[in-house]
Amino acid sequence: MLTRIDHIGIACFDLDRTVEFYRATYGFEVFHIEVNEEQGVREAMLRINGTDDGGASYLQLLEPTREDSTVAKWLAKNGEGVHHIAFGTADVDGDSEAIRDKGVRVLYDEPRRGSMGSRITFLHPKDCHGVLTELVTSAPSRH
């Protein structure tokens, strides 16, 4: 069962400049920064609030580290902006299978490693009214 909005992914050309905008404008501070080599991105997670299920909601800022990454291709086509929405779940495997059984294309056969040690998969935007949708099971210590 999907329990919360885990994060909103925002593609950007300059991570440091974008982080500074969110810090200066809204007071959001960086909770976590990492490079995900598999996905070809440098990312910052800005924690917005805690949630009833013990998780949290974030803004995820994504800067491509190589031109062939999905985010780089998306930026070239669309420019900066909202890239995806992610919903939190205690069981990314079970929920992705249940959603697949409803006719929605799940982009990964098996969930992959995401930010801060989470497990993730994506749903095809053409099956989700044009929205790239991510399902996330947080790592146990992520709050």
Side-chain angles (χ1 to χ4, degrees):
M1 172 201 298
L2 306 181
T3 58
R4 63 190 149 76
I5 294 175
D6 184 86
H7 66 270
I8 305 293
I10 299 172
C12 62
F13 292 111
D14 183 330
L15 185 69
D16 296 327
R17 191 174 64 115
T18 307
V19 163
E20 178 54 25
F21 168 81
Y22 282 97
R23 189 202 61 73
T25 305
Y26 306 117
F28 299 154
E29 297 294 337
V30 173
F31 181 80
H32 178 83
I33 291 181
E34 73 179 82
V35 173
N36 185 321
E37 296 293 345
E38 179 183 358
Q39 294 182 23
V41 295
R42 181 172 161 243
E43 61 183 81
M45 297 294 274
L46 285 62
R47 189 173 191 271
I48 306 305
N49 68 321
T51 61
D52 290 345
D53 68 357
S57 294
Y58 301 86
L59 285 181
Q60 178 187 46
L61 307 178
L62 300 159
E63 173 190 68
T65 58
R66 58 179 200 264
E67 291 182 22
D68 68 337
S69 73
T70 302
V71 172
K73 293 174 186 176
W74 190 90
L75 276 166
K77 181 178 178 183
N78 301 294
E80 293 184 308
V82 174
H83 179 263
H84 67 275
I85 186 168
F87 294 109
T89 172
D91 182 9
V92 69
D93 298 275
D95 284 340
S96 63
E97 280 304 312
I99 291 169
R100 179 182 277 128
D101 290 345
K102 294 176 181 176
V104 174
R105 288 174 280 181
V106 178
L107 299 183
Y108 303 151
D109 290 332
E110 296 290 326
R112 297 182 182 179
R113 183 193 173 282
S115 299
M116 301 184 287
S118 62
R119 296 186 69 241
I120 65 166
T121 196
F122 285 92
L123 309 178
H124 200 292
K126 288 186 179 178
D127 297 343
C128 299
H129 297 271
V131 178
L132 180 60
T133 304
E134 183 179 4
L135 304 181
V136 178
T137 296
S138 299
S141 63
R142 183 178 141 191
H143 298 299

